Every structure is written in structure tokens, then in C-alpha cells.
Amino acid sequence: MNSASLFTEILATLKRKLWLPALAAVSLLFAMPVYLGLTLQRFINWSGEITEYYHSGIASALQGVFSTHAASVVAICIIGALVTGLVFTNYLQHRRQVDFYHALPQRRGRLLAVNFGAAFLSGLLPLLLNTLLALLIVLLSGFGSYLDWGAMLGALAVHMLYFTAMLAVVFVAAMLCGNSACAGLLSIVFFGFALGLLGLWSGIGELFYPTWNSQLIDWNALVSHSSPVARYISIAIEDGRYALTALDVLATLLFIAVMYALAWLLYVKRPAEAAGSALAFRVSKQWLKWPIVLLASGGLALLLSVVSGNEGGAWYFIGLFLGAAISAQVMEIIDAYDFRAIKRGLLPLLIFIALFGGASLLMKADVTHYNDYVPEAAEVAAVEIVFDNVNGYANDEISLVYYRRDSSAPLDFYEHSVERHLAQSRLSDADAIAAAVTIAAALVEEQLQQPSELTESPTDEVIRYDQTLGCMVRYTLSNGRQVDRRYSSSELTASRMLEQLAVIYAADDYARSQHELFDYQPQQIRLAEVWSFDNSYDPRLDNELRRADLLQLEPAQLTALLEVYERELCGFSLEQQADSMPVGKLRFYVFAQPPVGALSEDTLDGQHIIYYDYPLYPEFGETIAELAALGVPEQLWLINYEQISYVEVQDYRYQLDYAAQVSADLETLAATSSKYGDQTRVTRYVQEDEIRRLMENSYDYEAFDHNCFAGSVNAVDLLVCYRDDSGGEYMAYRQFIAGFEP
């Protein structure tokens, strides 16, 4: 037979299953032409001014249909691949149909090609038809100029590429199983198995090895490439880090070829009497059973461990036992179609539980001493250390560096640039290495203590406290070996390690290296916004600080500001920071292509923008003076007492049955108080001296995020009421932290 007759057979097979492409066509009809018509309707009847919103709205509507990011089309293709594969292999599940087809003078390989080809067309034809209908709607609406023909054809190719890859996986599952239900379940397992292994690896690793620096692993990349479904979805969500490449296309084509070859091999070897049974090959039972049992037992163990709060404790092992027993015996029942099969395979199950449980016990006991490893300072040639939450001073405000799609969707760049930040945080000075090792040893000591041994914070006092310390470290040993660890503690605070931190930040220009902003050329930087924590809601000051004016600063003015600010910021010691709090922040725009791993769609003047937020402390007198020369009034950084009407103290500790008084500091203030239910004690202060006392011992919420030595326990909120010039009022929240001793 020639290729023409093969195509004829494919069409004949497709004709017998015509209901399937018809169902797909109806689904895509609503996802493509109908959706597009309804979305474009408002632009067809547009009567207003043609603005950027008009153009971007049309482009967005077209992208929702003619791109790889069309979520509804992607969902239909994923579901369609599963259903289509099961439908076109359904004859293998019925003995009579198998005998009939195998009695034909036709090789099994050709029969497989006919069904696979018909399944492919079952996905392609509905997609082509609805693409043409949607295209017709666009052209008739007069929006043809907005079409990107290359992107449209590319999206069509990508949809079919991953549809075919998923279809090939379903065909392999169908060849391994004797009925459609098992084939469908096995297909889902195949799609998610690698993802499950990644989750198990990550979960058990972080559970038993808390010093394991998992941030060095690009989990997003691994998840994205774990299966055709995951890769397809990662492309669809428009994640710039993992966009489709030519290598992806080649790899997917190779994957399709391998899966098709495997399906052909299994089909050739598949016994006809396997129709209707759970598995077509008895030898495959153990190869399929135990990986699934591994995921089920490990997953339930982690789930119960986390839910119970006793991570790695008894509930972990209960979950391990239940997950293994239930999954293993359910598969025995399915394989035999008999509930009495629940008694089968008990010995292998017990062996599996013993092995998995024993391995878990060994990891829990840390027999390799992985978690308490800290090298001797003399053994270390260099250290690369990045602190997690000493970010008010270092790491270029790393928790505040955003690469945004929009202002409400920040992407923390920290996770995706670990290697870069480690590289720029290298210490080779002997004293600094010793300080880093001392901090690591202290973190390990705190981390290994039992919770009952830890010192608890007071439960009935309002205090200011410093943030707990955490860091990731890369040791380069004298023999050239590199060791990565991540240390954290809920008890060890930055102030306890202040001496060692000061040594580190004073060595090898470490402090300067942590502020990435100053690595850019002045012509790449713009001062975008200034933000006062105390006057952020003052409309008078908002009017004086026009963002457009700041962005238009002359290069010489900005250079002078940056020089002063860099000097004061990098010269601001940790000891000074421990005694102070920032009064505001500066936001800078950097015109630069984001580093690999970042996602930035913000542009200004056609260039990519990276945001940097940096703190401004009251001790930065030269910077404040330089800002004043640029039109930013110095009063912005001062509390405007004349505008304050009153301050309310909201003590949420009252609901926890603590003492009625707020604190000794607040008791000395004369005021009347009222109790709202059993939840909050609210006290209003109106006298000037009372207001000053409260304001001087409290800080704006956002200020705490910019100082690693600032936080609060059992917070008492202050609600500050300001008057504006028109007689109106506006409110601002602060936190009271009286009684703090650095």
C-alpha cells in the first residue's frame, strides 16, 4: 500500500470517530471566535478618542486567541490530547475488536500509524477551523493591521507540537494497559510523575536537611521541563525565564519520536488476550507499582508531617505507612479486579516500608552530620556569604528589588540570582572569614536546640527587637572544594552577632558590593520617587513632589546625589543602624536589560526598567541637603505635629487576657480609654506632650522593613489622625515600640 492509501485509511478512521473532532471544534468555538467577537465588540463600537488603551486592548484580545498564551486553548489541547488518545486506542480494550483488527491483512505498525494519524487530525482540524473563523472576524472588523502573522502561525505550531507530545504519552499508556480507565490514570501519572519526584526531593530534603541550600537549584526550570504538560503550561503563562527555544522544539520532536517508537514496540509485543485486563504486560506491574507507591507514601508522609506541625515526627511515619499500604493494595485490587487481592504482596510492602522508613530515620538522625557541618576557619580559603534579613543595610534591599508585570505583582528576584549574589559577596580576609564561620556556628547551635530549650520572648510586653539572622554560605576550602549551606534560626538575632557582622561589612569592600545600584553608570539611573514614612499621606507634600520633575533631573545633579548617598549609605555602620530607623526611602529606576532569571515588562522611553528601593536615615544629612537642593523639602522627613489632631492606641493584646494597662510608658499618660468588645482596647490621646511621646516612641510600619534591627512583639498600633489644609482628615498607622534598649 502507498502513502495515499495510508492517508485514506486515516481519514476513514477519523470519519468513524467524527464526534470527537466535532466536540473539540465546539469547545474551541467558544474559546476562540466567540470570545474574540465579544471582546472586540466594544472596540468596533468605539466612539471615544483613539488612545494607547484602545490599541493595547485590541492587541491583548488578539493575543488571547492567536498566541501560545491563550489559556482556554491550552486547556482544551491538554484535555483533548488525553481524551483523543484514549478514544483512538479504545479498540485495544475489547477482545472482539482486537481479534477483528488483528485478523485484517495489515501489520500492527501500520494500524498504529493510522490511529495516531487520525488522532493528530482530530486535534489539528478543529484548531485550524476555529483559527480561520477567528481570523475572519478580525478581518471583517477592520483590525487586520493588528495581526502578527508570524506569531499566529508559530502559536498554531506550538499548540500542535505539545498536543502531539501529550498524545504520544497517552498512546504509550494505552499500550501498557488493558482498559481505558487504567490507561487514563497511567497517562496522568506519566504527566505528573517527574513533578512528583521533584516535590518529594524538595520536601524531604528541606524537612531533614534544613541547612541544605535548595535555592541553588532552579526549581522552576526543573518543573517547567518535567513533562510535556508542564512545559506547555510554562510557555502558556508567558514566563520570560523559560520561553520556547529552538532546542525545546528539537527536544520535543525527539520526545515524540521516542514515545511513538515505544508505543509501536509495545503494540507489536502486546498479547491479544490482554484486552480488558488492568495491565497488558505482567512484567510491567512491579515497574509501575513501586514508583507510584513511593510518591504516594512520601507525599502523604510530608502532608501529615506539615499539617500536624510535628515535622519529621510520628505523623511523618504514620503517613509513610498509610500512603504505602493504601496505594500498594489499591493497585493490587485494580490489577486483579477483586477486593480479595488486598492480601496480596504484603511481604514486598513491608520490605518497602522498612527501607523507606529506615532511610527516613537515618536522615532524621543526620548520621552524616550534614546539618551541623561548619569548617574550621583555618580550613577556609574564602567565604561567599549572603544574609537573608540583614537587608536594611545590605543586599541592595534585595527583598525590595522587584521585576514587575504591574505594581501589584512583584517578582522577588532573590531566588533567581543566588549565584550572582554569592559571587559578589566574597570574603578573603582572615578576620572576615573567622567572623562568618562564627556566625555559621552560632546558627547551627541555635538550629539544633530543641524548642523547649529556646528562650521565649516576653508575652506581655511591647518591645522593639531585632530580626532573626539567616544566611547562605559557600565555603571554598583550602583544598579547592566548595561546600554550600543555608543557615537560619528563629532565636539568633542580628544584634547578638553585631560584632561579627561589623567585621564582615568592614572587610573587602563587602558593604559596597551589596548595593547593586552603584554598579550602574549614572546615565542609566533615574530618581523616580521619594517617600517619607511620616508624611506619605500629606497631600501638600505629594503635590510638591512631582514624579515627572524627579525623572528629568540633569545627569550632573543625579551624579552628585548618588555620590553623596553612596558615601553615607556604605559608611553607615551596623552599630548606627541598630540605634536608628529610616525616615523614608528613595526609589530609583535603572534602564538596563534585566539579568537572566528576571522578569521585567516595565518600560520608560522604550527601555526596560528595574526598580530599586533604598532607605534614607535621619543621619544622612548630606543626602537630605542634596535632595533639598533638588526641590525635595527637608520638612518631608520631619513629623508634622501641627497637622496631628489626635493619636489612638489600639492594644490588640487585650483580647489575649493580658493586663489592662498598655505598658508602663503609656500608663504615665493621662487619657480616657474605651473597650470595644473583648478584642481591642482603644485609647485616644489629644494633648501635645502625649502625642509627642507616642510619636517619638513609634515608627511607621514600612520603616521596619528597611532596618534589620527593628521589629515588634505584641504590637500596639497607633492610628494617627492628620488634618489637611482644607479641613479634611487622613489617617496613618504606626507601631509603638517603647521600652527598647539596643
Side-chain angles (χ1 to χ4, degrees):
M1 295 185 181
N2 55 35
S3 59
S5 60
L6 175 63
F7 185 68
T8 302
E9 289 183 50
I10 290 174
L11 292 180
T13 302
L14 180 62
K15 187 176 180 180
R16 288 194 295 271
K17 309 284 187 183
L18 201 57
W19 63 269
L20 184 60
L23 179 61
V26 171
S27 301
L28 288 169
L29 179 70
F30 288 96
M32 298 178 74
V34 172
Y35 164 79
L36 191 60
L38 293 175
T39 306
L40 291 179
Q41 186 65 38
R42 56 175 174 164
F43 297 105
I44 295 174
N45 300 323
W46 190 270
S47 58
E49 182 182 355
I50 303 300
T51 62
E52 181 62 29
Y53 171 78
Y54 175 86
H55 296 300
S56 62
I58 296 174
S60 177
L62 298 185
Q63 189 181 45
V65 173
F66 299 119
S67 75
T68 57
H69 315 307
S72 54
V73 177
V74 170
I76 291 171
C77 285
I78 292 173
I79 298 172
L82 177 61
V83 174
T84 302
L86 295 176
V87 168
F88 280 93
T89 57
N90 183 60
Y91 73 95
L92 292 172
Q93 325 306 330
H94 304 281
R95 182 63 183 269
R96 288 185 178 181
Q97 293 188 38
V98 170
D99 291 341
F100 171 76
Y101 281 107
H102 290 178
L104 297 174
Q106 190 177 51
R107 292 182 179 274
R108 290 192 181 187
R110 186 178 182 87
L111 188 58
L112 177 66
V114 168
N115 282 282
F116 193 84
F120 176 80
L121 289 180
S122 182
L124 175 63
L125 295 179
L127 186 59
L128 276 176
L129 175 63
N130 282 282
T131 298
L132 291 174
L133 289 175
L135 186 60
L136 184 62
I137 290 174
V138 174
L139 295 176
L140 292 178
S141 301
F143 299 130
S145 60
Y146 291 89
L147 285 170
D148 186 339
W149 294 90
M152 181 179 67
L153 295 175
L156 186 63
V158 169
H159 289 313
M160 288 312 302
L161 177 69
Y162 284 97
F163 175 87
T164 308
M166 293 181 287
L167 185 66
V169 173
V170 178
F171 264 68
V172 170
M175 299 307 158
L176 286 169
C177 297
N179 63 69
S180 295
C182 290
L185 291 174
L186 189 58
S187 298
I188 295 173
V189 169
F190 283 165
F191 288 146
F193 182 73
L195 182 61
L197 281 181
L198 288 174
L200 198 61
W201 175 24
S202 172
I204 291 181
E206 300 216 359
L207 179 64
F208 293 119
Y209 297 104
T211 62
W212 174 43
N213 191 1
S214 61
Q215 285 188 318
L216 292 173
I217 299 173
D218 192 344
W219 295 102
N220 289 326
L222 292 178
V223 168
S224 174
H225 293 84
S226 62
S227 74
V229 174
R231 189 73 191 100
Y232 190 27
I233 292 175
S234 68
I235 294 169
I237 62 175
E238 200 174 3
D239 192 329
R241 292 166 290 172
Y242 310 115
L244 184 69
T245 64
L247 183 60
D248 282 325
V249 175
L250 292 175
T252 306
L253 290 173
L254 179 61
F255 176 83
I256 293 171
V258 171
M259 288 294 102
Y260 183 84
L262 181 59
W264 173 82
L265 179 63
L266 292 171
Y267 189 28
V268 169
K269 300 293 184 181
R270 178 188 170 99
E273 58 271 17
S277 60
L279 294 174
F281 303 93
R282 302 311 306 167
V283 71
S284 66
K285 176 182 175 180
Q286 303 303 326
W287 292 97
L288 295 174
K289 175 182 176 179
W290 296 112
I292 296 174
V293 172
L294 175 66
L295 289 185
S297 59
L300 188 58
L302 290 173
L303 177 63
L304 293 185
S305 177
V306 172
V307 171
S308 67
N310 184 18
E311 299 186 6
W315 280 106
Y316 172 87
F317 293 96
I318 292 172
L320 186 153
F321 174 81
L322 290 177
I326 293 172
S327 59
Q329 300 318 107
V330 165
M331 283 189 283
E332 289 290 347
I333 293 171
I334 292 174
D335 180 55
Y337 288 150
D338 189 345
F339 277 102
R340 290 173 295 182
I342 195 172
K343 299 179 181 179
R344 295 180 184 176
L346 293 179
L347 180 58
L349 173 61
L350 292 176
I351 293 174
F352 172 86
I353 293 174
L355 290 175
F356 196 180
S360 297
L361 285 172
L362 291 176
M363 289 186 288
K364 181 178 175 63
D366 192 18
V367 294
T368 62
H369 296 284
Y370 183 95
N371 291 321
D372 59 11
Y373 172 80
V374 178
E376 296 291 335
E379 301 175 3
V380 181
V383 168
E384 297 166 16
I385 184 167
V386 174
F387 293 100
D388 294 347
N389 40 11
V390 188
N391 56 14
Y393 183 75
N395 302 338
D396 56 354
E397 300 300 333
I398 204 64
S399 65
L400 303 170
V401 177
Y402 299 144
Y403 296 86
R404 304 181 176 183
R405 294 173 186 265
D406 54 63
S407 59
S408 62
L411 172 69
D412 191 349
F413 178 59
Y414 188 78
E415 292 185 4
H416 312 293
S417 58
V418 174
E419 291 287 353
R420 183 173 63 87
H421 284 287
L422 281 171
Q424 72 181 23
S425 305
R426 187 177 180 85
L427 296 168
S428 55
D429 178 78
D431 291 338
I433 291 174
V437 170
T438 300
I439 291 175
L443 284 166
V444 167
E445 182 180 357
E446 293 284 353
Q447 193 166 281
L448 295 180
Q449 290 188 62
Q450 297 299 320
S452 58
E453 299 174 4
L454 299 177
T455 303
E456 296 184 357
S457 300
T459 57
D460 58 353
E461 295 181 11
V462 180
I463 62 171
R464 167 174 164 164
Y465 76 106
D466 53 341
Q467 307 283 8
T468 54
L469 198 60
C471 63
M472 62 177 65
V473 182
R474 172 170 292 164
Y475 306 104
T476 301
L477 305 182
S478 301
N479 60 8
R481 178 184 168 218
Q482 287 189 333
V483 180
D484 289 291
R485 289 293 187 273
R486 181 178 184 84
Y487 304 112
S488 61
S489 170
S490 60
E491 293 294 314
L492 185 65
T493 57
S495 63
R496 288 172 57 185
M497 294 286 106
L498 185 57
E499 180 181 347
Q500 288 77 19
L501 288 169
V503 172
I504 290 173
Y505 285 111
D508 294 340
D509 202 24
Y510 184 88
R512 169 63 176 77
S513 70
Q514 300 303 292
H515 298 298
E516 185 180 274
L517 174 69
F518 306 119
D519 292 334
Y520 295 99
Q521 297 299 318
Q523 59 267 28
Q524 293 180 271
I525 305 173
R526 297 288 188 277
L527 176 61
E529 297 176 34
V530 294
W531 190 267
S532 169
F533 297 144
D534 288 314
N535 294 294
S536 56
Y537 302 102
D538 191 331
R540 298 175 308 145
L541 295 174
D542 285 345
N543 292 334
E544 293 178 21
L545 300 174
R546 293 185 294 275
R547 178 180 168 196
D549 293 341
L550 294 173
L551 288 171
Q552 298 303 319
L553 292 178
E554 295 293 331
Q557 295 175 304
L558 189 58
T559 300
L561 173 64
L562 288 172
E563 288 178 354
V564 169
Y565 183 63
E566 178 183 353
R567 182 169 61 252
E568 292 192 313
L569 180 65
C570 296
F572 195 56
S573 68
L574 293 180
E575 292 88 345
Q576 288 176 294
Q577 186 182 160
D579 292 330
S580 183
M581 283 287 279
V583 291
K585 68 179 180 181
L586 307 179
R587 168 163 292 177
F588 295 94
Y589 287 171
V590 172
F591 295 92
Q593 195 66 27
V596 175
L599 177 62
S600 174
E601 294 185 355
D602 290 293
T603 59
L604 185 66
D605 298 333
Q607 301 181 64
H608 286 280
I609 299 173
I610 305 175
Y611 292 77
Y612 288 91
D613 288 346
Y614 276 87
L616 184 70
Y617 284 83
E619 290 82 2
F620 293 3
E622 292 184 60
T623 302
I624 292 174
E626 193 69 35
L627 287 169
L630 298 176
V632 180
E634 293 190 18
Q635 71 184 69
L636 180 67
W637 316 112
L638 303 174
I639 297 176
N640 189 0
Y641 287 104
E642 294 181 358
Q643 298 294 119
I644 298 177
S645 298
Y646 60 85
V647 176
E648 281 189 351
V649 176
Q650 302 177 343
D651 185 10
Y652 293 97
R653 298 172 306 146
Y654 195 90
Q655 61 184 332
L656 301 177
D657 296 327
Y658 292 126
Q661 69 272 16
V662 177
S663 72
D665 295 278
L666 295 180
E667 274 188 81
T668 61
L669 303 176
T672 58
S673 64
S674 58
K675 173 183 169 186
Y676 294 164
D678 292 326
Q679 296 184 350
T680 308
R681 174 177 174 147
V682 178
T683 309
R684 177 173 294 189
Y685 299 90
V686 297
Q687 298 298 323
E688 182 179 351
D689 58 339
E690 298 171 343
I691 291 175
R692 284 185 176 273
R693 177 67 180 276
L694 289 170
M695 295 296 287
E696 289 170 359
N697 288 278
S698 64
Y699 296 98
D700 185 273
Y701 272 96
E702 196 168 356
F704 288 95
D705 296 331
H706 291 261
N707 189 317
C708 64
F709 295 100
S712 61
V713 174
N714 303 322
V716 173
D717 289 335
L718 300 186
L719 179 62
V720 184
C721 177
Y722 291 92
R723 298 184 303 271
D724 59 30
D725 292 339
S726 61
E729 295 182 339
Y730 57 95
M731 305 293 183
Y733 275 99
R734 298 168 69 86
Q735 280 191 321
F736 185 81
I737 54 173
F740 168 66
E741 292 183 4

